[in-house]
Every structure is written in structure tokens, then in C-alpha cells.
Amino acid sequence: MLFPSLFAAFGPAAQVVRLEQINARRRQHSAPLGMQVQQAQLLLASGNAAVANAEGWHVAVLGTPRMTGAWQAQARRDGVAAALLSACRAEGARAFSHVAGAFALIAIDSVRGECYLAVDRVGQQRLVWWRQGGTIWIASEQSLLNAVPHSQLRLSPQALFDYLYFH
């Protein structure tokens, strides 16, 4: 069984990414990434993750999320990614309050230049991100970020302390 995987780059450096380099770094049981969206400042690649796009919005969903409230019926009819896309277009960041379950979500508004990330309240699903200059790099696993050209990722002792103390 292959686990879903996700990679996104949002910003001016998004064009330097080579998908074959990213795929070479994925974990053994992660689904291979396939291009979903590629624009001047946006790259969104997914392996078995639900993706929806419309009018400058791009949403990617990992895990088993459920929509609640007014968006529940649309999620049953069109899928969670489509319902979340509609919720984000209508409510912006408040849309994430309508999501329950185990999930990791990315919502990008390429018109406004905004990127929203969310994970479930318990932390069953995860997203890792890194900001370099004007570009934000997002992935479902750390090893994918290590394949970004010119990445010099290192563990922050303060971040490790915060994780252990607050998690």
C-alpha cells in the first residue's frame, strides 16, 4: 500500500523544482508525486492526495477529513477537496473550522498571494514547511524538502524543545 504524499512550492523560486529529484527523495512506501498545478509562482504535486482548483484557488487534502456544518452535504456529493475549496473561497481561513478528522490541508489563493496550512488537532497527519526568500516550500514529509535546490535545512534546537514541550 502506498501512502499519499504532497509537495508544494509557492513563490518566485517554484520554477526551479524538478519533480524527478523530489520523487527520488520520497519514502519507500509513499506514492510517487505527479504534477497537479504548475504556474509561474506555484507548483503543486500530489501522490494520491485529493486536489481541487478553481479561479486562482488550489486545495490539496491528505488523510481522512470530514466537512461539518453547511459544507457537509457538498463534501458528500463532490468530495472533501471540492467542498473545502468552496469553503475557502467563501470564508478564507475560517473554512478550516469546518474540518474534522485526521487531515493535512493546503489552500493557496494565488490571486491574493496567500497560503493556508492546517493539520488535524491531534497531529495524526503532518505537513512540514520551510520559507526561503519569498518562496514557501511545503511537503508531507521532511525528506521531500531536502531535495529542494540550495536547501540547507538543519534542526533548530529551539524547535525541537518546543515540539517536545508542547506536543
Side-chain angles (χ1 to χ4, degrees), residues 109-124:
D109 181 351
S110 56
V111 174
R112 289 189 179 151
E114 297 176 341
C115 178
Y116 302 102
L117 308 176
V119 295
D120 59 89
R121 287 133 187 99
V122 178
Q124 289 179 293

Side-chain angles (χ1 to χ4, degrees), residues 39-145:
Q39 297 173 348
Q41 294 200 0
L42 172 65
L43 177 137
L44 179 60
S46 144
N48 295 344
V51 176
N53 305 291
E55 299 173 17
W57 276 93
H58 310 280
V59 172
V61 179
L62 284 175
T64 56
R66 303 181 310 282
M67 296 299 289
T68 63
W71 305 103
Q72 192 172 19
Q74 183 183 358
R76 273 192 242 118
R77 185 180 64 243
D78 302 330
V80 173
L84 182 62
L85 178 70
S86 297
C88 285
R89 290 175 61 204
E91 300 181 28
R94 290 187 313 261
F96 294 118
S97 67
H98 301 290
V99 185
F103 60 85
L105 310 169
I106 299 174
I108 298 171
D109 181 351
S110 56
V111 174
R112 289 189 179 151
E114 297 176 341
C115 178
Y116 302 102
L117 308 176
V119 295
D120 59 89
R121 287 133 187 99
V122 178
Q124 289 179 293
Q125 296 289 321
R126 64 179 178 211
L127 285 176
V128 292
W129 61 276
W130 170 51
R131 187 174 184 148
Q132 178 187 36
T135 303
I136 185 167
W137 308 89
I138 307 155
S140 55
E141 51 191 87
Q142 178 67 42
S143 61
L144 298 177
L145 291 183

